[in-house]
Amino acid sequence: MQSELLYKRLAQKLVDAELNREVVVKLTAEYPELTVEDGYRIQDELVSLKLEQGHRIFATKMGLTSQAKMKQMNVHEPIRGYIFDYMNIEDGILPINELIHPKVEAEIAFVLREDLEGPGITEGHVLAATDYVVPALEIIDSRYAQFQFSLPDVIADNTSSSRVFIGSTWRKPDDLDLDLVGVTLSINGELKDLGAGAAVLGHPAHAVAMLANMLAREGRKLYKGDLILSGGITGSHQLREGDVVVAKWGGLGSIEFVVKTR
Ligand code: 0L1
Ligand code: MG
């Protein structure tokens, strides 16, 4: 357990890195004793700083939800973070000049029609409490060089949250088998990745249930109206100036954007 002052200082360093588009050395290089709990305390400070700057929380997200990413990080539990209002892109342009080294991944997002309070929340509870599901493309952009970090680092860095595109096809969860929803992700006309909803912990609703149960450990919950990104169905793919990205979901439409300097 570190001091409040240190949490604040490290959170400010990550906020500045995002704003200045400058990578920083991972926090655990200087503070190897940082724990996952410390990572969340720094993330909480980072969220407070963003709120003080006038930003609002747009969505909550689960990260590291695929077996591949968990194995890579040697963890057994996904991580959670926040997406702010300024991260939501509505005009189909990813402004690469505002970012460091963005990557894209395809997800399914949930909109709740009821509060969800753990512990003990199951996939069934999540589906019953869901108003709509929507397709989403998450842009992750680590503030650490080469996306190299340990678990406390990436949690402190708000799970690499950077931008998001939300699709316009909203469906009732009962209309789809979310574990079987297929996704293709193409960049410049080349198929880069594909997957099914089951890539997210067996079922995307499972990730949302896990989020509610994780939040309950801190006396928090999910609220009616909340938008939740459940985790990457595809892997994450590096983006470059001029790229045209097209993702298609079975039964959930598509999202397209171009990577440009604005
Ligand atoms: O949304 C995600 O799964 C990303 C979590 C952070 C790990 C990374 O930056 O790859
Ligand atoms: Mg993600």
Side-chain angles (χ1 to χ4, degrees), residues 1-259:
M1 178 72 75
Q2 303 288 329
S3 78
E4 285 300 313
L5 220 60
L6 180 66
Y7 292 139
K8 276 194 171 54
R9 193 165 64 71
L10 296 179
Q12 187 68 58
K13 184 175 176 158
L14 290 165
V15 167
D16 292 346
E18 179 188 346
L19 210 62
N20 301 329
R21 300 179 62 214
E22 272 174 14
V23 290
V24 291
V25 174
K26 63 181 182 178
L27 308 182
T28 53
E30 195 177 350
Y31 301 98
E33 67 284 7
L34 285 180
T35 63
V36 162
E37 195 198 331
D38 291 324
Y40 279 117
R41 298 291 300 275
I42 298 165
Q43 187 191 106
D44 284 345
E45 293 295 342
L46 181 148
V47 170
S48 297
L49 285 169
K50 297 276 188 193
L51 296 178
E52 277 164 27
Q53 288 169 357
H55 303 303
R56 290 286 158 261
I57 290 174
F58 175 74
T60 311
K61 65 168 271 194
M62 284 294 263
L64 299 181
T65 49
S66 72
Q67 287 303 330
K69 276 199 186 183
M70 278 196 266
K71 204 167 161 193
Q72 187 191 330
M73 295 293 296
N74 197 21
V75 293
H76 305 288
E77 191 174 65
I79 56 179
R80 61 136 173 97
Y82 295 94
I83 292 168
F84 295 94
D85 48 3
Y86 71 91
M87 297 178 168
N88 177 38
I89 300 183
E90 292 180 335
D91 65 359
I93 296 171
L94 181 70
I96 188 122
N97 52 305
E98 294 174 8
L99 309 176
I100 303 169
H101 42 197
K103 297 183 185 182
V104 61
E105 58 188 27
E107 309 205 1
I108 292 174
F110 291 65
V111 180
L112 298 184
R113 63 183 169 83
E114 284 169 25
D115 294 0
L116 268 179
E117 186 166 12
I121 295 297
T122 64
E123 215 173 281
H125 294 133
V126 171
L127 291 172
T130 297
D131 203 357
Y132 292 99
V133 290
V134 289
L137 286 178
E138 189 189 8
I139 308 299
I140 54 172
D141 194 23
S142 175
R143 271 54 70 168
Y144 305 117
Q146 278 99 41
F147 272 81
Q148 294 293 317
F149 41 68
S150 65
L151 201 56
D153 294 308
V154 68
I155 292 169
D157 188 26
N158 191 23
T159 65
S160 309
S161 296
S162 175
R163 296 289 184 275
V164 68
F165 295 84
I166 303 295
S168 54
T169 306
W170 294 58
R171 299 285 298 271
K172 291 285 178 194
D174 289 351
D175 293 348
L176 298 162
D177 284 327
L178 289 175
D179 51 343
L180 300 181
V181 168
V183 184
T184 59
L185 177 67
S186 303
I187 302 180
N188 304 327
E190 184 188 336
L191 180 65
K192 288 282 185 192
D193 209 337
L194 54 86
V200 182
L201 301 170
H203 193 294
H206 188 191
V208 181
M210 220 174 216
L211 173 62
N213 293 327
M214 284 166 79
L215 289 173
R217 299 205 292 256
E218 301 155 44
R220 305 182 197 187
K221 64 176 187 172
L222 294 167
Y223 292 90
K224 174 183 173 176
D226 276 1
L227 174 67
I228 300 142
L229 269 72
S230 59
I233 294 173
T234 63
S236 50
H237 296 268
Q238 191 73 54
L239 294 170
R240 289 176 187 82
E241 171 99 43
D243 282 347
V244 177
V245 178
V246 180
K248 296 178 185 169
W249 287 254
L252 277 173
S254 62
I255 301 178
E256 179 168 345
F257 70 87
V258 11
V259 182

